[in-house]
């Protein structure tokens, strides 16, 4: 199977990858809060407000490590993790970390991850039957036998 076909097989798992990326964003937000000394963040669909020694409010947060977290994405993921609708979510660093840990555990036991594993197994399997044979097995029997002289006369 060539690389393009293998990449195409991954398209079925885009939702899984996006979900994992969104969860990673919340982990990065929690780490950023810790770096800044923030205790609480308020997240609504338009803004993320970090509250600590100072207050920072923006539609997106760029961490000191260069990751960008969008308010709309963070809000949607928190809504899913908390399991209820609210105009705004307030979370501490510890709660954010706990929500992420629970989500990762659930993801690890999900049908989506099992389907991804099956795809990886399928595209990792050798597709060339010659590649599965042991060395030397592809040679014909005649080539594997030692050469014998067809004449009884010694070489001159």
């Amino acid at each position: 199977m060539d690389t393009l076909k293998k990449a195409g097989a991954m398209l079925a798992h885009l939702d899984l990858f996006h979900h994992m990326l969104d969860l990673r964003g919340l982990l990065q937000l929690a780490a950023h809060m810790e770096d800044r000394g923030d205790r609480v963040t308020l997240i609504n669909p338009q803004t993320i407000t970090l509250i600590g020694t100072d207050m920072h409010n923006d539609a997106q947060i760029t961490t000191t490590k260069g990751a960008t977290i969008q308010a709309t994405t963070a809000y949607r993921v928190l809504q899913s993790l908390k399991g209820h609708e609210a105009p705004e979510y307030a979370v501490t660093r510890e709660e954010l970390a706990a929500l992420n840990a629970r989500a990762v555990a659930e993801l690890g036991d999900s049908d989506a991850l099992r389907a991804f594993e099956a795809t990886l197994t399928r595209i990792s399997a050798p597709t060339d039957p010659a590649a599965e044979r042991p060395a030397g097995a592809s040679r014909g029997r005649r080539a594997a036998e030692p050469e014998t002289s067809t004449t009884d006369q010694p070489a001159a």
Side-chain angles (χ1 to χ4, degrees):
M1 190 179 282
D2 66 341
T3 304
L4 187 56
K5 286 183 181 178
K6 288 179 180 181
M10 292 294 148
L11 291 176
H13 305 290
L14 283 178
D15 287 342
L16 173 67
F17 298 153
H18 284 289
H19 183 63
M20 291 172 65
L21 186 62
D22 292 346
L23 289 174
R24 182 176 178 214
L26 287 186
L27 283 172
Q28 291 167 325
L29 180 58
H32 184 66
M33 289 173 67
E34 188 168 345
D35 289 347
R36 285 178 34 97
D38 297 327
R39 295 296 309 146
V40 175
T41 186
L42 303 173
I43 300 174
N44 65 49
Q46 292 80 34
T47 58
I48 298 173
T49 303
L50 300 173
I51 302 170
T53 55
D54 65 341
M55 200 159 105
H56 180 82
N57 185 1
D58 208 337
Q60 71 181 25
I61 300 293
T62 301
T63 69
T64 53
K65 296 181 180 175
T68 301
I69 299 98
Q70 302 286 335
T72 53
T73 303
Y75 177 81
R76 180 178 37 80
V77 174
L78 274 177
Q79 185 177 44
S80 169
L81 294 177
K82 287 191 168 244
H84 64 87
E85 289 188 37
E88 184 171 61
Y89 297 102
V91 289
T92 64
R93 285 190 317 238
E94 296 79 11
E95 182 184 11
L96 202 51
L99 287 168
N100 268 302
R102 189 189 82 215
V104 168
E106 289 171 358
L107 187 62
D109 194 34
S110 69
D111 290 339
L113 196 61
R114 282 189 285 281
F116 177 64
E117 182 180 25
T119 299
L120 281 179
T121 301
R122 189 181 81 241
I123 67 172
S124 298
T127 57
D128 180 12
E132 295 177 8
R133 282 186 247 160
S138 62
R139 294 187 297 177
R141 182 182 164 123
R142 184 181 283 272
E145 295 174 355
E147 293 277 333
T148 57
S149 175
T150 56
T151 63
D152 292 335
Q153 296 177 352

